[in-house]
Amino acid sequence: MSSEIPRIQRVISILWPSFLTSGLATILFFTLFDPVHLLAGTALAELSRLGAYSIGFFCFWGLTILTSGLTCYFSQPCDDNRRRTRGRQDDSLGSAL
Amino acid sequence: MNQTASTPNDREVENALYQKRKKIYPREVHGLFAPRCVLGVFVLLGLYYVIPWVSYEGHQAVLFDLPARKFHIFGLVFWPQDFFYLAMLLVIAALSLFFFTALAGRLWCGYACPQTVWTEAFLWMERKIEGDRPRQMKLDKAPMSLRKFRIKATKHAVWLAFAGWTGFTFVGFFTPIRELGVSLANLSLGPWETFWIIFYSFATYGNAGWLREQVCIYMCPYARFQSAMFDKDTLIISYDEARGEPRGSRKRSDDRAEKGLGDCIDCTLCVQVCPTGIDIRNGLQYQCIGCAACIDACNDVMDKMDYPRGLIRYTTQNRLEGKPVHVLRPRTLVYGLILLALLGGLVYAIATRVPVDLNIHP
Ligand code: SF4
Ligand code: SF4
């Protein structure tokens, strides 16, 4: 997990696996629960099913992006970080995000 | 790629790695495999764009009706509680992928993967608009001019139109496509339908127009775990090193034995046609999607040189090493048997399920 990995690969490795798992989560979740029943009586009762699916998907995706991003962030070599703060602080993961 | 950390010119190496990827301009090929590939593209794209329009007994034949929470596949209707069938179908799909990969390598990638199919379609449009590989390269090098702008704008407009149609079709699998078409014509599309059409269109445009081989290299899980399904009897595309080396250029009239050369004339055509930009002569690489373009290109060269074809060919590691080849082997037998059992199970389950649900059918 260091500078050998092209930036595009890092960005993709956060966005893409999270996209896949959130898709899976969306399918499982909405197979079990019908949004019309879930939202009945709430402020979102007017929301169409398609809308609920979409919002659900993006909520899942946001969450999984956060997870993937944190995993990437924590998998940076720790020593490297210390050295970097003294030397140069360019291309740590932060800039890739 | 792994000497970055401690070398003195550390920074330089890193910069080089951060450079924008080199754009790959695949050269067009003609040959034995190319037509098959085109056929694949036509059949698959045809199916994708036509299926949503097919009607069956008065309703859309294949409709994963998300708003109504039921899936129609011809006469069958699936409800959320039938999720089990979907899961089983996915397991079967995964297993068939294992089976065919063990047998014949990356058949999937070269002929059936949506990424390849749409990229091929986009490449074809690019070629029609910008010309062949040398022209495309020249155009990209040239400074911006009215002509360049016009050509590029046309290309992107055509790409976007095609992508838009793709997005529309995609959403048409999930909401009734005829109604969707009517609301599109009246400009009365629902907000979520509009959103997903645009989302999917841009995904198509980005993946097939811009990312291309990078999808295979960075995003495809299959590319990474395929080696687990390969063995020495798997059909792969391979360069015959024993025959080709030492490579070197020569005149057609030269006697290669006299010059001490192998069959490869080092024309690099195989590299130029490769959509992922690799050199198959370096051995099997996970970036190779098995499209067989290099086979066609090299066979052409061999014909021109009056050498036998097949310097690059479909073969297996065992055959290259002169050992016997086994098509039937424990791996394929096990995959095949499980596959058959699951398929049988699924068909049985669906067949015995039908009468119950037909009663609920409105
Ligand atoms: S196309 Fe054939 S002859 Fe030309 S470089 Fe490739 S392997 Fe060698
Ligand atoms: S090496 Fe040959 S088969 Fe593999 S992707 Fe390149 S052109 Fe296709």
Side-chain angles (χ1 to χ4, degrees), chain A residues 18-48:
Chain A
S18 48
F19 179 88
L20 292 179
T21 46
S22 54
L24 191 69
T26 313
I27 294 174
L28 286 175
F29 184 83
F30 288 114
T31 305
L32 285 175
F33 305 105
D34 183 344
V36 169
H37 297 307
L38 275 188
L39 299 175
T42 69
L44 289 172
E46 292 297 299
L47 194 66
S48 70

Side-chain angles (χ1 to χ4, degrees), chain A residues 2-10 12 16 19-20 27-28 30-35 47-51 53-55 57-58 61 84 88 90-91, chain B residues 1-5 10-11 14 17-18 66-69 80-81 83 86 90 171 174-175 192-193 195-196 199 211 214 217-221 224 286:
Chain A
S2 65
S3 45
E4 294 160 31
I5 297 175
R7 178 172 310 200
I8 180 154
Q9 184 172 4
R10 292 193 206 169
I12 286 176
W16 178 237
F19 179 88
L20 292 179
I27 294 174
L28 286 175
F30 288 114
T31 305
L32 285 175
F33 305 105
D34 183 344
L47 194 66
S48 70
R49 277 203 181 115
L50 211 55
Y53 297 149
S54 312
I55 292 174
F57 171 75
F58 282 102
W61 197 14
R84 227 169 237 163
R88 54 203 161 72
D90 51 356
D91 60 314
Chain B
M1 272 231 188
N2 41 20
Q3 19 57 312
T4 39
D10 190 0
R11 182 76 65 109
E14 263 172 40
L17 291 169
Y18 274 123
L66 291 181
R69 289 177 78 74
Q81 59 268 34
F83 182 74
L86 181 68
L90 288 181
V171 175
F174 299 98
T175 52
W192 294 107
E193 283 89 351
F195 170 79
W196 284 111
F199 186 93
L211 286 174
Q214 299 182 95
I217 295 172
Y218 298 128
M219 293 164 75
C220 179
R224 303 295 175 103
Y286 83 85

Side-chain angles (χ1 to χ4, degrees), chain B residues 4 14 48 56 61 66 86 129 141 184 217 238 245 250-251 288 295 301 318 332 336 352:
Chain B
T4 39
E14 263 172 40
Y48 174 80
Y56 180 84
L66 291 181
L86 181 68
I129 295 167
K141 277 210 203 88
L184 184 67
I217 295 172
S238 181
E245 300 296 322
R250 70 206 67 179
K251 287 204 208 71
C288 170
I295 303 190
V301 176
N318 271 343
T332 52
T352 47

